[in-house]
């Protein structure tokens, strides 16, 4: 009989600020779940956004987590060291004809979104691969941003690698075309809730790469989770809807699908004024104020 495979958990902070209690909660939850089930706990540095990532924040992540009493497997995966993995994923999507270049500014998008969606009211006609929108009351994507109106979708599609090397251009996923390659009933398994419908169309034609950022968070996270053999993605509920998009990318790239558990955000915690203000403090501030690691763990409600 083969031994049951070990579950693999990860904590994946972005080094663009100091860790606060919310991060400690997420990291501890992953660490505890791994430890209790005899699983593995990985740390991943999500420094794909080179403009926002700073070495001092990365150093602080290691220091603060160790101070809190966490231990993780080495080597740590740093996204900035694996650009070729993301390029390979982009090439696969490109080979499926799912990427197109876009040079729209935010202003262009706002203007075109208004125009595109109001003209659809009159004619009722849509390009075949246009995502269905409620034209009068166009809902934003789950992060609250305008859905991309598809202005550049019909542009000539040269290979992704060539497009990115030209600079100043983003690569978008042709969502309409991507949906045709996926089953309509794509779901993920959410802890405690079962199968959740993915609904990736809510994100529209998302940006998957830019010249200065070789992969968007969405692309990098699914590639990394697969390459690291992550079986359980445990993260904040602010990423719940993003999982629907991740699920589509996994399908298109033929990647394994982890189980998901989206936990509440610690800032939702009820409490008096003092404990609320302490909740928004960074771990280093709390340490500087003399808090002990056990006290900080207790503040998260976890051991
Ligand atoms: N890097 C993301 C963040 O710091 C977390 C991504 C994830 O857990 O999937 O918010």
């Amino acid at each position: 009989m083969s031994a049951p495979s070990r579950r693999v958990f990860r904590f994946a902070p972005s080094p663009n600020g100091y860790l606060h209690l919310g991060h400690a909660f997420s990291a501890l939850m992953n660490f505890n779940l791994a430890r209790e089930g005899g699983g593995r706990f990985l740390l991943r540095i999500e420094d794909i956004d080179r403009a926002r990532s700073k070495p001092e924040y990365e150093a602080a992540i290691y220091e603060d987590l160790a101070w809190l009493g966490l231990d993780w497997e080495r080597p740590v995966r740093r996204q900035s060291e694996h650009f070729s993995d993301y390029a390979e994923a982009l090439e696969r999507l490109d080979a499926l004809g799912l990427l197109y270049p876009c040079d729209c500014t935010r202003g262009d998008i706002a203007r075109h979104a208004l125009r595109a969606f109001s003209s659809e009211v009159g004619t009722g006609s849509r390009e075949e691969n246009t995502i269905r929108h409620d034209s009068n009351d166009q809902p934003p994507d789950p992060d609250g941003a305008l859905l991309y109106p598809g202005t550049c979708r019909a542009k000539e599609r040269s290979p992704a690698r060539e497009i990115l090397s030209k600079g100043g251009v983003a690569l978008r996923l042709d969502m309409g075309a991507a949906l045709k390659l996926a089953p309509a009933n794509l779901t993920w398994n959410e802890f405690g809730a079962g199968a959740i419908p993915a609904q990736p169309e809510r994100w529209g034609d998302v940006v998957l790469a830019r010249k200065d950022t070789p992969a968007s968070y969405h692309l990098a996270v699914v590639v990394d989770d697969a390459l690291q053999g992550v079986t359980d993605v445990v993260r904040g509920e602010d990423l719940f809807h993003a999982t629907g998009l991740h699920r589509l990318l996994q399908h298109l790239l033929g990647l394994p699908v982890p189980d998901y558990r989206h936990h509440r955000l610690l800032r939702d915690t009820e409490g008096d004024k003092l404990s609320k203000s302490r909740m928004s403090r960074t771990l280093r501030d709390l340490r500087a104020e003399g808090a002990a690691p056990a006290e900080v763990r207790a503040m998260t409600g976890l051991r």
Side-chain angles (χ1 to χ4, degrees):
M1 227 172 71
S2 64
S5 55
R6 293 172 79 195
R7 307 297 294 182
V8 181
F9 295 82
R10 80 338 184 244
F11 176 58
S14 307
N16 54 24
Y18 291 116
L19 298 183
H20 51 72
L21 265 182
H23 292 110
F25 177 71
S26 200
L28 275 167
M29 185 180 272
N30 276 284
F31 179 74
N32 291 347
L33 285 166
R35 199 183 41 186
E36 285 154 17
R40 298 168 53 200
F41 175 66
L42 312 179
L43 175 62
R44 180 166 76 229
I45 300 296
E46 299 214 323
D47 59 351
I48 196 88
D49 184 342
R50 284 176 284 178
R52 295 183 69 213
S53 301
K54 302 266 178 296
E56 58 267 35
Y57 292 135
E58 182 179 341
I61 288 171
Y62 302 131
E63 197 182 296
D64 292 349
L65 292 179
W67 173 77
L68 208 55
L70 271 64
D71 194 13
W72 54 89
E73 285 186 16
R74 270 74 168 179
V76 166
R77 182 175 171 94
R78 303 172 70 239
Q79 291 181 327
S80 55
E81 292 171 350
H82 298 278
F83 287 166
S84 61
D85 291 333
Y86 313 123
E88 206 175 292
L90 281 173
E91 272 168 29
R92 289 175 75 171
L93 296 173
D94 201 28
L96 294 170
L98 300 180
L99 300 182
Y100 66 88
C102 170
D103 55 8
C104 292
T105 61
R106 275 172 203 231
D108 293 338
I109 294 176
R111 268 193 312 280
H112 290 144
L114 274 179
R115 223 182 296 145
F117 300 129
S118 54
S119 67
E120 278 175 10
V121 194
T123 63
S125 69
R126 297 168 200 272
E127 286 169 45
E128 208 205 338
N129 60 359
T130 301
I131 309 149
R132 302 208 137 252
H133 299 289
D134 180 352
S135 37
N136 270 334
D137 190 15
Q138 172 62 21
D141 77 16
D143 277 350
L146 275 179
L147 274 201
Y148 183 66
T151 322
C152 293
R153 196 183 299 125
K155 267 190 189 166
E156 203 191 321
R157 302 186 183 186
S158 24
R161 194 187 285 269
E162 228 168 83
I163 292 167
L164 282 181
S165 66
K166 283 189 196 142
V169 173
L171 285 178
R172 289 187 180 272
L173 178 70
D174 183 335
M175 180 60 80
L179 291 174
K180 288 186 187 155
L181 299 182
N185 56 352
L186 210 55
T187 60
W188 80 82
N189 184 38
E190 177 74 21
F191 176 82
I196 305 287
Q199 301 183 305
E201 66 279 3
R202 295 182 63 188
W203 292 92
D205 290 5
V206 283
V207 170
L208 291 187
R210 292 184 198 278
K211 174 137 173 55
D212 52 353
T213 308
S216 68
Y217 156 69
H218 300 299
L219 184 66
V221 81
V222 297
V223 169
D224 289 338
D225 284 336
L227 287 175
Q228 293 191 286
V230 171
T231 60
D232 294 79
V233 172
V234 179
R235 60 186 177 193
E237 64 191 6
D238 50 335
L239 289 167
F240 184 86
H241 295 295
T243 300
L245 175 58
H246 300 174
R247 185 63 195 84
L248 174 66
L249 293 173
Q250 286 155 353
H251 176 81
L252 297 170
L253 293 166
L255 302 177
V257 184
D259 286 339
Y260 287 86
R261 176 167 179 169
H262 294 91
H263 58 68
R264 69 185 168 86
L265 298 178
L266 204 59
R267 63 165 184 260
D268 294 338
T269 309
E270 292 297 319
D272 57 28
K273 241 181 162 177
L274 176 68
S275 75
K276 267 194 178 157
S277 77
R278 290 192 92 193
M279 288 296 172
S280 59
R281 295 274 236 297
T282 65
L283 297 183
R284 20 202 61 209
D285 284 348
L286 291 164
R287 172 152 53 125
E289 286 163 20
E295 209 180 317
V296 172
R297 287 200 299 273
M299 285 169 76
T300 68
L302 300 171
R303 279 173 299 123

